[in-house]
Amino acid sequence: MTQDNHHSIHTCDAIVIGGGLVGSAVAHGLAGQRLQVAVLDEGDVALRASRGNFGLVWVQGKGYGKADYARWSLGSTRLWPQLQATLLEESGIDVQLQQRGGFHICLSEAEVATRRERLHWLQQQVGAADYRYEFLDPQSVHEDLPGLGPEVRTVSYSPMDGHCNPLKLLRALHTANQRRGVRLHTRAGVQRIAHANGIFTVTGGSDQPRRWQAPRLVIAAGLGCQALAEQVGMFIPVRPNKGQVLITERLQPLLRMPTNYVRQTDEGTVQIGDSMEEAGLDDLVRVPVSAEIAARALRCFPALRNARLVRTWAALRIMTPDGFPIYQQSAACPGAFAVTCHSGVTLAAQHALTLAPWIAGGSEQPAIAAFSANRFTPDTPIARYGH
Ligand SMILES: Cc1cc2nc3c(=O)[nH]c(=O)nc-3n(C[C@H](O)[C@H](O)[C@H](O)COP(=O)(O)OP(=O)(O)OC[C@H]3O[C@@H](n4cnc5c(N)ncnc54)[C@H](O)[C@@H]3O)c2cc1C
């Protein structure tokens, strides 16, 4: 990157707005294509899903009604070991990826029926050889999930699933990016984007306005995507969806594999979650919601009754109207891309290894046509958790 001191403009090959999991993964891949990359991030004042999530690298159940999303997620889990190895080598950080499989716990016959229908449809679409799952009796999974409660009707198991430590993932991406020469600018909230002669000029910064220029621009700013994308002629509708999480003290190794409601982290704590709530930009923890997710976790694992809770938080997911990702290049300003999704942990490998090379111009467009923003208009209704 060069800096023109006279005009105080930083020039580079690609600007990525947003230093969360999505922007950092894309920046990682762009730098892997030998592009000089600047990542601009708002900093600590920002709403950041990447610091408050559940850490699942998950496939089962995803993509109901849009099989391309199931395929895309599955593809990401297959690329994940490569991402993990690269991050370990370049950052020295082990993101604790475990892909032994995962369980979805059903607490009622109605939940079992919905689950069966959903997984059956997905398997038919994706193919039985690739999309693997089975329904298991709670007693038969005793070794992996000891202490399931009497209310558990059945569990669905899939070897496709896993989890990681999402904070280590973010840290590893930032560290590896630095090693690849990516410049991360914090306190760099972007206000304005201009486009002329194929070059984007981005103005931001919380103190003195700063400017960056590049022929490529990636808007990966989470809940900030919509307002920024408007400036380059794209309609990227996103809204917050709130999730609360509870963390217990560190416990002896208990759960060998993650479940949709409860997982034991590499550090021994048990993470309990996560709620889903349409609450606007409110990211405060609310006690009734905590009580609800704690009660559900106790129905799954009654022994957690004796575990002490040490932490809780709420964070905001980034949701499109149908819950599926958006990957879009601007028609009005070619070279500008919008990238957003609500499963930035699971999809980190696709973003770094498949999407970024395409954005960099080094590869054919991957199978992302289904994720074009053109499927939305301002009148598109919100599908509740259709992901
Ligand atoms: C409770 C919860 C549980 C979840 N569980 C999982 C899970 O198990 N598995 C999974 O795959 N995903 C999960 N997710 C989703 C995952 O956390 C998100 O998909 C991911 O973190 C999104 O990353 P992001 O970079 O798009 O957004 P964010 O982390 O929100 O980052 C956006 C960044 O953009 C920056 N920004 C915004 N506006 C501007 C601007 N104008 N200028 C400069 N910078 C700007 C902000 O500073 C911020 O750092 C969960 C999310 C939540 C909330």
Side-chain angles (χ1 to χ4, degrees):
M1 181 180 312
T2 60
Q3 185 173 349
D4 176 339
N5 285 327
H6 184 63
H7 299 290
S8 200
I9 297 179
H10 304 258
T11 61
C12 57
D13 299 321
I15 298 165
V16 177
I17 308 179
L21 282 173
V22 173
S24 301
V26 171
H28 188 71
L30 294 176
Q33 299 291 308
R34 312 215 170 280
L35 265 54
Q36 287 198 309
V37 183
V39 175
L40 313 184
D41 195 64
E42 254 184 322
D44 288 343
V45 294
L47 295 161
R48 294 186 293 196
S50 301
R51 289 169 199 243
N53 67 70
F54 204 64
L56 297 179
V57 177
W58 208 254
V59 180
Q60 66 161 307
K62 287 184 171 194
Y64 188 54
K66 201 178 192 82
D68 282 322
Y69 184 55
R71 291 188 197 96
W72 183 244
S73 302
L74 178 59
S76 200
T77 61
R78 288 175 172 165
L79 288 170
W80 241 102
Q82 186 185 335
L83 177 66
Q84 184 224 15
T86 307
L87 291 177
L88 182 60
E89 191 189 319
E90 294 181 11
S91 71
I93 297 170
D94 182 349
V95 303
Q96 300 291 330
L97 174 69
Q98 286 202 1
Q99 293 184 298
R100 294 189 197 122
F103 292 95
H104 181 103
I105 299 175
C106 298
L107 289 167
S108 69
E109 290 306 330
E111 279 181 31
V112 177
T114 308
R115 195 79 194 150
R116 280 190 190 284
E117 184 189 325
R118 185 179 268 249
L119 294 184
H120 177 70
W121 185 88
L122 283 160
Q123 190 178 58
Q124 284 204 315
Q125 300 294 315
V126 179
D130 286 321
Y131 200 93
R132 289 179 294 139
Y133 70 89
E134 54 190 318
F135 281 90
L136 297 168
D137 192 278
Q139 277 82 46
S140 71
V141 297
H142 174 76
E143 280 198 7
D144 293 322
L145 302 180
L148 278 173
E151 286 187 65
V152 174
R153 286 280 157 273
T154 189
V155 296
S156 61
Y157 164 76
S158 173
M160 305 182 290
D161 297 326
H163 60 157
C164 72
N165 182 317
L167 290 178
K168 288 184 182 165
L169 171 61
L170 187 61
R171 181 88 194 120
L173 282 167
H174 283 181
T175 306
N177 282 356
Q178 203 174 13
R179 181 140 166 226
R180 287 185 174 198
V182 174
R183 295 279 300 270
L184 172 64
H185 302 262
T186 56
R187 296 164 61 86
V190 172
Q191 289 109 33
R192 244 188 7 268
I193 306 171
H195 181 238
N197 304 321
I199 298 291
F200 295 93
T201 303
V202 171
T203 309
S206 52
D207 315 320
Q208 262 191 324
R210 289 181 274 167
R211 285 194 293 166
W212 293 263
Q213 280 189 332
R216 275 194 177 70
L217 172 72
V218 179
I219 299 171
L223 290 168
C225 281
Q226 186 159 350
L228 291 168
E230 267 171 23
Q231 300 190 42
V232 285
M234 286 190 281
F235 177 57
I236 307 295
V238 286
R239 69 179 200 286
N241 176 271
K242 180 174 170 181
Q244 286 189 200
V245 164
L246 303 170
I247 304 289
T248 72
E249 62 190 325
R250 291 174 194 213
L251 303 173
Q252 292 296 321
L254 175 75
L255 306 175
R256 250 175 49 84
M257 292 189 214
T259 77
N260 54 324
Y261 295 139
V262 175
R263 75 176 185 104
Q264 190 161 24
T265 70
D266 54 299
E267 286 155 344
T269 59
V270 172
Q271 188 166 5
I272 297 171
D274 39 349
S275 55
M276 292 193 109
E277 218 186 327
E278 299 289 326
L281 290 175
D282 167 20
D283 67 350
L284 287 182
V285 167
R286 306 277 171 193
V287 174
V289 177
S290 303
E292 209 176 291
I293 58 177
R296 190 176 59 193
L298 292 185
R299 290 170 71 199
C300 299
F301 297 98
L304 285 176
R305 176 167 287 109
N306 302 316
R308 266 180 305 187
L309 294 175
V310 295
R311 260 193 325 279
T312 179
W313 65 74
L316 303 179
R317 297 181 190 85
I318 299 112
M319 282 287 184
T320 60
D322 61 7
F324 300 115
I326 296 177
Y327 306 124
Q328 180 72 48
Q329 178 165 201
S330 168
C333 306
F337 298 79
V339 179
T340 185
C341 70
H342 80 78
S343 283
V345 181
T346 304
L347 297 177
Q350 290 281 33
H351 293 160
L353 297 168
T354 312
L355 199 69
W358 166 66
I359 290 174
S363 70
E364 293 285 301
Q365 178 173 315
I368 53 168
F371 309 121
S372 157
N374 296 336
R375 68 190 192 271
F376 300 122
T377 70
D379 299 325
T380 305
I382 289 172
R384 288 288 141 126
Y385 319 136
H387 54 281

